[in-house]
Amino acid sequence: MRWRGNRQSDNVEDRRGMSGGGKAIVGGGLIGIVILLLNVFGGENAKMITPMLEQMNQGQTTETVEQRELTPEEKEIGDFAKTVFAYTEDTFGQIFQENGREYEQPKMVLFSDAVETACGSATSASGPFYCPGDKKVYMDLRFFEELKTRFGAKGGDFAIAYVIAHEVGHHIQTILGTSGKVRQLQEGKSQTEANKLSVCLELQADFYAGVWAHYNQQYLEVGDIEEALSAAHAVGDDAIQSKMQGHVQPDTFTHGTSEQRIYWFKKGYESGDMKQGDTFAALLD
């Protein structure tokens, strides 16, 4: 993706390498990776992440107290993330303005190991997520290496851009009131029915990421869209469950299948029309 020399967002806080005093999983391990993938693109689910992680990794945590200098590679990927975040500000600012609304810009926090949020504590095993409580996107950028090496995604910088845009999609759902309506609809529903609503929410965020890519085609390079589609495939519920447990349980899906995630990203990319992203009508009728 073309990004060097372009504006970087002022709404990014880089906490990588800082002494946070939070809990960090020692050595990762299978449990951490499984939870990471099951929670990836967590959206509104950040509050549920910490208790599960602490229970499953009990006795495997340590306090992070040191501070270190970021490597040149870490600085570069941080600059890339800040530039992509600026692209999302420009794109959705334009779209909202065209529709007579003002876009409330979110913030993004880059962290390593552990972070405190308005939705509670989280570790790198949470994967990237958005917290509606403080309207911030949280990213441990080392996640993408795990996605590539352990789960077969192609990698590449546009996979990172896709995930950032997906999490910004959750912010859009928050400020438009979609997330709040979904939480209300989930009340009193069975777990299966509540999961279906969560899938619709996640796929809509994929759609918004595709819309963002549509508006930023001048920055795309050969292979970028394939990188995004590969990442979307890798984090489909069916792909994760098949790889980790050898079979799939559709009633437990919360993010959508690989096919669904690819479909809605492509629909957003090809149409560039926010009004075509009603995943709820498409999937629940």
Side-chain angles (χ1 to χ4, degrees):
M1 186 177 192
R2 300 183 183 92
W3 63 277
R4 298 182 189 279
N6 292 331
R7 180 180 76 86
Q8 296 182 8
S9 173
D10 294 325
N11 290 315
V12 179
E13 180 182 350
D14 196 341
R15 301 183 192 173
R16 295 173 301 163
M18 294 176 60
S19 175
K23 292 182 179 179
I25 295 177
V26 179
L30 182 59
I31 290 177
I33 297 301
V34 171
I35 299 300
L36 182 154
L37 266 296
L38 292 178
N39 285 291
V40 69
F41 309 149
E44 303 289 327
N45 299 321
K47 289 183 179 178
M48 298 187 292
I49 294 170
T50 302
M52 186 186 304
L53 288 172
E54 290 184 345
Q55 181 179 359
M56 297 187 72
N57 291 280
Q58 196 171 38
Q60 300 182 51
T61 61
T62 185
E63 295 296 313
T64 57
V65 295
E66 63 182 24
Q67 184 171 1
R68 62 175 179 79
E69 180 72 17
L70 296 179
T71 67
E73 292 78 12
E74 288 173 321
K75 292 178 181 178
E76 181 174 35
I77 196 173
D79 288 342
F80 172 77
K82 294 173 185 176
T83 304
V84 169
F85 208 59
Y87 289 165
T88 68
E89 293 167 347
D90 295 340
T91 297
F92 292 115
Q94 175 187 341
I95 292 173
F96 271 60
Q97 185 178 43
E98 290 172 350
N99 287 274
R101 300 184 61 131
E102 183 176 353
Y103 178 58
E104 179 185 350
Q105 295 181 352
K107 296 185 183 297
M108 181 167 67
V109 176
L110 306 180
F111 73 97
S112 300
D113 300 322
V115 67
E116 294 293 330
T117 82
C119 298
S121 302
T123 73
S124 55
S126 308
F129 64 95
Y130 170 78
C131 173
D134 53 23
K135 296 180 180 176
K136 293 181 180 179
V137 171
Y138 289 88
M139 301 278 295
D140 186 334
L141 294 171
R142 296 173 303 178
F143 158 77
F144 297 96
E145 188 61 30
E146 297 283 359
L147 190 63
K148 179 175 66 173
T149 59
R150 293 178 181 264
F151 289 87
K154 286 186 177 181
D157 58 10
F158 200 74
I160 301 174
Y162 155 60
V163 173
I164 291 175
H166 172 99
E167 299 305 336
V168 171
H170 284 306
H171 174 68
I172 292 171
Q173 292 169 330
T174 295
I175 61 179
L176 292 181
T178 310
S179 298
K181 291 178 182 178
V182 168
R183 286 195 296 271
Q184 291 178 351
L185 289 172
Q186 287 175 321
E187 293 179 2
K189 292 284 196 303
S190 68
Q191 191 61 56
T192 298
E193 292 302 313
N195 286 345
K196 289 180 180 178
L197 289 166
S198 293
V199 167
C200 293
L201 204 63
E202 294 296 331
L203 295 179
Q204 188 178 67
D206 280 331
F207 173 83
Y208 289 153
V211 171
W212 169 81
H214 174 89
Y215 275 80
N216 287 270
Q217 294 183 55
Q218 69 270 33
Y219 301 124
L220 300 186
E221 297 178 311
V222 175
D224 280 347
I225 295 300
E226 286 73 18
E227 290 172 6
L229 296 179
S230 177
H233 182 276
V235 293
D237 284 322
D238 54 340
I240 295 171
Q241 290 186 1
S242 179
K243 193 172 188 68
M244 301 312 302
Q245 61 190 34
H247 64 279
V248 298
Q249 298 173 279
D251 287 349
T252 66
F253 290 174
T254 58
H255 291 68
T257 65
S258 296
E259 182 180 1
Q260 288 174 319
R261 303 200 73 161
I262 290 172
Y263 171 83
W264 283 102
F265 175 84
K266 288 178 67 176
K267 184 171 184 177
Y269 176 65
E270 291 168 359
S271 71
D273 182 2
M274 295 279 281
K275 296 177 182 178
Q276 295 190 34
D278 190 353
T279 55
F280 299 90
L283 299 174
L284 297 181
D285 285 349

